[in-house]
Amino acid sequence: MAASSPAFEAPAADLATSRVARRFPYLLAGLSSLVGASVALPLIYLAIRAIQGGTAPWESFLRMRTLETLVATSVLAIAVTAAAVTISLPLAWLFARTDLPRRRAWLVLTMLPLAIPSYVAGFAVIAGLGPRGFIQQFLETFFGMGGVPGLTGFPGALFTLTVISFPYVLITTTVALNRIDPAFEEAARSLGTGPWRTFFSVVVPQLRPGLTAGALLVALYTLSDFGAVSLMRFNSFTQVIYTQYQASFDRSLAALLSLLLVMLTVGVLVLERRTRGRARFHRATAGTPPRRRVTSLGRWRWPALAYCGAVVAMALLIPIGTLVYWSVRGAGAEAAHVNMWAAAGNSALASGLAGLAAVAAALPVAAFAARYRQRLSSVLEGVVYSGYALPGVVLALSLVFFAANYAPIVYQSLFLLVFAYVVRFLPEAFGAIRASFLQVSPRLEESARAVGRGRLAVVRTITLPLIRPGILAGGALVFLTAMKELPATLLLGPTGFPTLATQIWSATDEGFFAAAGPAALLLVALASLPMIFLFPRIQDSR
């Protein structure tokens, strides 16, 4: 089967791909390089700080338990990524290929954990599953189960980060699954291959663009997270970096640690590129693919519903239940509610602008990386992902440095805040759009050019409609993650520009959980808007 299936040949065998490769896209490369140069500003800042520090930071760097922290952080990232893929792959198949009842509702519910900030999720897990949490107290009161271990440390960080990050894999995998040509599955089934073998030998290999794009986002999210690992008392790299920034006036050592985190990101990118390989994932021939069959679950409908319910209960009900509890207790704080609505408007404005800007910036880089596999495109791809691995405070401080010294007109402006969001979350839009590009055959574009269509007309009438699911998914991801970003918002937000993230953090930092509850619930509600209106359309895209 593999030998006869053109979907797994090297791209060099594709005539259209080779024709495209001979004409170097100078405009596309120029736009991509401009985006890469903008995203590289934090890396330049870190290099300057590291050089200015002299040899003293290097000596402290070598004396620290750097290797131990590096290994612990890497193990956590691998474990969270593996768990996220394990949870998401069955869900994506249920949503895209079966007659699961209320699948649109289940799709939205399983996406909602993305709207929950890691520090809110960590607090909810501790309040529910930690030592002396309300679940612990319930088990002890009604079942006499005292002394049940609390969910903290590595297990707590693994659980918390998995339940709030697995939707990254679910989104990109569902989009990829909807784009797969069903002809390959039909061919395998006609040769007598069973459904399970067909799924793992034909479908899963073609899901690599979506799976790897989502898994990469989960891994980088884990590497850069501070809120959850801090609350769980897990010693990760980001926690060490934050401590160094707070405890020392000289930030050279923190810059070195951040550069090491960037090197770890490069290692993750190399692994992702090797996993992706050089296979192509589009149809070898032009034309409309046959409509796929919807699998009837039959008696497996109830186990499938139970699985979806268990995932939603772990990822959504525990944190939302905790927020509802504190919201009820803080129902009388009217002044806080007035400020909350103003903060909600600011959050929606900044996040919406960031989503649009990130999609615009990601489009040329994704097209360049998917269509032209060259050294320049590989370097730009690595630079794009570097911002996602940096802690938010490092990114914010680097932009403060450049704005104060070279562009004071944008200092403490909405433009600088939106720019920080784009640099931080550009990989989310890039990964989803690139996965869609990889599943669009270049033959379609070349055929249109051969009959006299102009380049812009081809992009407008053929390429953009085909990659629309990736564009919608990428923009929605940036919108909801920018809304809950905290460190960059605290340091770069304009004066008198409160957001829901800063309001939640101020309340929880001072112990006013009753005031933080309503703002956190409103943040989840706003961040869920793109999932409610866009993701069902993404699911049904063909």
Side-chain angles (χ1 to χ4, degrees), residues 5 12 41 80 85 146 151-152 168 205-206 216 252 266 269 286 296 304 313 333 418 444 446 452 466 535 541:
S5 176
L41 288 179
V80 172
V85 171
L151 200 59
T152 56
Y168 287 123
Q206 294 183 82
L216 183 60
S252 301
V266 172
L269 288 172
S296 176
V418 172
L444 298 175
E446 290 296 316
L466 289 175
F535 290 148
S541 297

Side-chain angles (χ1 to χ4, degrees), residues 85-156:
V85 171
T86 303
I87 293 173
S88 300
L89 190 56
L91 288 175
W93 183 77
L94 288 173
F95 297 153
R97 295 296 184 87
T98 72
D99 60 348
L100 181 75
R102 303 289 183 181
R103 59 178 183 173
R104 285 192 175 189
W106 286 115
L107 175 65
V108 172
L109 289 174
T110 51
M111 298 298 180
L112 282 177
L114 278 181
I116 303 175
S118 64
Y119 47 87
V120 173
F123 164 73
V125 170
I126 290 177
L129 301 174
R132 305 305 302 170
F134 64 84
I135 294 180
Q136 293 270 15
Q137 297 180 24
F138 175 82
L139 293 175
E140 183 176 351
T141 302
F142 293 96
F143 297 97
M145 299 175 59
V148 179
L151 200 59
T152 56
F154 179 85

Side-chain angles (χ1 to χ4, degrees), residues 57-78:
W58 289 95
E59 296 174 357
S60 301
F61 177 80
L62 296 175
R63 286 197 303 266
M64 293 179 60
R65 295 186 299 175
T66 307
L67 181 60
E68 180 180 340
T69 306
L70 180 63
V71 171
T73 305
S74 302
V75 170
L76 179 64
I78 293 172

Side-chain angles (χ1 to χ4, degrees), residues 315-368:
L316 195 60
L317 293 186
I318 291 178
I320 294 299
T322 303
L323 296 179
V324 169
Y325 169 77
W326 286 110
S327 298
V328 172
R329 294 192 58 177
E334 297 181 359
H337 292 173
V338 174
N339 296 331
M340 180 181 67
W341 291 110
N346 294 336
S347 296
L349 173 62
S351 302
L353 292 174
L356 294 175
V359 166
L363 275 170
V365 188
F368 191 41

